[in-house]
Amino acid sequence: MTGTYQEKVGGNSAGNLKSFIDRIENLAEEKQAIADDIKEVYSEAKGGGFDVKQMRRLVTIRKMDRDKWREEQDTLDLYLQSLGLL
Amino acid sequence: MTGTYQEKVGGNSAGNLKSFIDRIENLAEEKQAIADDIKEVYSEAKGGGFDVKQMRRLVTIRKMDRDKWREEQDTLDLYLQSLGLL
Amino acid sequence: MTGTYQEKVGGNSAGNLKSFIDRIENLAEEKQAIADDIKEVYSEAKGGGFDVKQMRRLVTIRKMDRDKWREEQDTLDLYLQSLGLL
Amino acid sequence: MTGTYQEKVGGNSAGNLKSFIDRIENLAEEKQAIADDIKEVYSEAKGGGFDVKQMRRLVTIRKMDRDKWREEQDTLDLYLQSLGLL
DNA sequence: ACCGAAGTTGTATCAC
DNA sequence: GTGATACAACTTCGGT
């Protein structure tokens, strides 16, 4: 077994805490790096003449369960109608 | 009119669009995987008796410190530049 | 005339700066208060059974110039088609 | 099915929806007015020879300080609570 | 399962 | 027009 009771909740807990925090912060950094990559791809696409805003909507729609999308559209249409905007 | 068909769909057509979207979706997947890893670390820590909410606060505050420090450095640089010292 | 050169950029400039900052921070506070009021109205509506997300979309559409809205929809449709999603 | 017509449009119908939307849009207008005021103050300051970008930094940092202080207070409270001292 | 809070993502504004 | 910054919206998460 790796890790006694003492190590887990005893006098060593601060050390353990630091290790957890470190791991989290490192992962957070990696995550940010990927987020930056994504931004870069959008930039590239923009440079190629694409409309970034609509591309984002496209990605959202694809990620979204298709039925759910339709359902939300229906509700919106209902509201638009009820205000005489459709 | 703001934006022709050509401008909106990109001079290189739909194939390119698909390729951009694919790259974005792949990166998004990697990013999500890391997000999941982070959750896992929090879970582990929780299992070790730590309070997740407080750990998140800790991470937030440490990040704020870093950001604040960075902002202050940037401001300093601006001052130095404006005095021709940088 | 109110405000000499001295007052504006000379020894008094720090005092003026503080006054500007104070005004800004006060206004920011008021702004936040109103933002909170808005959230409250949405909450109320939610309590009445309305779908908050779609209400927000509705407000966005009404604020947006109608032609612009149509234009954006068209671009999105184009992209959806080019990926065979429509 | 997730959400009936009744649930989505609210038991009290379109009249209520319009009333909610109106309240929101009025508040939004007030909010915008204050945002404009803030911009005006920055403009004024700029006219007085101040560097707007640096002023914004200043406001940001002061806000960060306040937020950080608040976070720390909250964390302290959590600790106190968890020890049954609050 | 819900609710409030927190964090993340997306949009609009502004200075350059 | 572009990049940075600030603002607002949406999603997620932990707690109840």
Side-chain angles (χ1 to χ4, degrees):
Chain A
M1 185 202 181
T2 38
T4 62
Y5 176 87
Q6 192 52 253
E7 281 162 358
K8 276 182 188 151
V9 300
N12 218 357
S13 67
N16 272 330
L17 178 60
K18 176 152 184 24
S19 134
F20 281 128
I21 298 292
D22 283 346
R23 285 167 65 196
I24 287 164
E25 288 179 343
N26 287 334
L27 287 167
E29 209 171 334
E30 290 180 46
K31 188 152 74 79
Q32 186 55 46
I34 295 180
D36 291 344
D37 289 346
I38 292 174
K39 280 185 73 172
E40 222 177 303
V41 178
Y42 276 118
S43 254
E44 238 186 278
K46 182 179 184 174
F50 290 101
D51 180 326
V52 170
K53 182 172 176 181
Q54 303 315 316
M55 282 180 70
R56 288 186 187 277
R57 286 176 76 185
L58 180 56
V59 171
T60 301
I61 291 170
R62 278 165 63 100
K63 190 164 66 183
M64 203 188 242
D65 179 57
R66 205 149 168 177
D67 295 339
K68 198 182 170 220
W69 171 258
R70 161 54 52 116
E71 216 184 300
E72 290 197 353
Q73 280 298 111
D74 288 348
T75 303
L76 177 58
D77 287 350
L78 196 57
Y79 289 177
L80 287 169
Q81 279 170 14
S82 88
L83 290 195
L85 294 174
L86 200 75
Chain B
M1 189 196 182
T2 328
T4 63
Y5 177 88
Q6 197 51 260
E7 281 162 356
K8 274 176 189 155
V9 93
N12 311 305
S13 86
N16 264 332
L17 179 59
K18 178 149 187 26
S19 136
F20 282 128
I21 298 291
D22 283 345
R23 285 167 66 195
I24 287 163
E25 287 178 342
N26 287 335
L27 288 166
E29 208 171 336
E30 289 180 46
K31 188 150 73 75
Q32 186 55 47
I34 295 180
D36 291 344
D37 289 346
I38 291 173
K39 276 186 73 175
E40 219 177 307
V41 177
Y42 276 118
S43 256
E44 235 187 280
K46 183 177 185 174
F50 291 102
D51 181 324
V52 171
K53 181 168 183 180
Q54 290 179 36
M55 282 181 69
R56 285 192 186 275
R57 269 187 202 286
L58 182 55
V59 171
T60 300
I61 288 174
R62 280 166 60 100
K63 185 170 192 306
M64 274 174 125
D65 282 343
R66 286 192 297 275
D67 290 349
K68 185 167 181 291
W69 185 85
R70 161 59 50 121
E71 286 264 352
E72 283 169 353
Q73 284 303 315
D74 287 351
T75 302
L76 177 58
D77 286 350
L78 277 173
Y79 288 156
L80 290 171
Q81 276 173 13
S82 79
L83 293 180
L85 297 173
L86 198 76
Chain C
M1 187 198 180
T2 37
T4 63
Y5 177 86
Q6 193 53 256
E7 280 162 356
K8 276 180 186 154
V9 300
N12 219 358
S13 67
N16 271 330
L17 178 60
K18 177 155 186 19
S19 135
F20 281 128
I21 299 292
D22 283 345
R23 283 166 67 195
I24 287 163
E25 287 179 343
N26 287 334
L27 287 166
E29 208 172 336
E30 289 179 48
K31 189 151 75 76
Q32 186 54 46
I34 294 179
D36 291 343
D37 288 345
I38 291 173
K39 280 186 72 172
E40 222 178 304
V41 177
Y42 276 118
S43 253
E44 237 186 280
K46 181 181 184 175
F50 289 100
D51 180 326
V52 170
K53 183 172 176 182
Q54 303 314 316
M55 282 180 69
R56 286 187 188 276
R57 286 176 75 185
L58 180 58
V59 170
T60 301
I61 291 171
R62 278 165 62 100
K63 189 164 65 182
M64 202 187 244
D65 180 58
R66 201 146 174 181
D67 293 341
K68 196 178 171 226
W69 172 256
R70 161 57 51 117
E71 216 184 301
E72 291 197 353
Q73 280 298 110
D74 288 350
T75 302
L76 176 60
D77 287 350
L78 197 57
Y79 288 175
L80 287 168
Q81 278 170 15
S82 87
L83 290 196
L85 293 174
L86 200 76
Chain D
M1 187 198 181
T2 327
T4 62
Y5 177 90
Q6 197 51 261
E7 279 161 357
K8 274 178 192 155
V9 90
N12 311 304
S13 86
N16 263 333
L17 178 59
K18 176 148 188 28
S19 135
F20 281 127
I21 299 291
D22 283 346
R23 283 166 65 195
I24 287 163
E25 287 179 342
N26 287 334
L27 286 166
E29 207 171 336
E30 290 180 46
K31 189 151 72 77
Q32 186 55 47
I34 294 179
D36 292 344
D37 288 346
I38 291 173
K39 279 183 69 176
E40 219 180 305
V41 177
Y42 276 118
S43 254
E44 233 185 284
K46 184 177 185 174
F50 291 102
D51 181 323
V52 170
K53 184 168 181 179
Q54 291 179 36
M55 282 180 70
R56 286 189 187 275
R57 267 188 203 285
L58 181 56
V59 171
T60 300
I61 289 175
R62 279 166 61 100
K63 186 171 190 310
M64 274 175 125
D65 283 342
R66 285 192 298 274
D67 291 348
K68 186 166 181 291
W69 185 86
R70 161 59 49 121
E71 285 264 352
E72 284 170 350
Q73 285 303 314
D74 288 350
T75 301
L76 176 59
D77 287 350
L78 279 173
Y79 287 155
L80 290 171
Q81 277 172 14
S82 77
L83 294 179
L85 296 174
L86 197 75

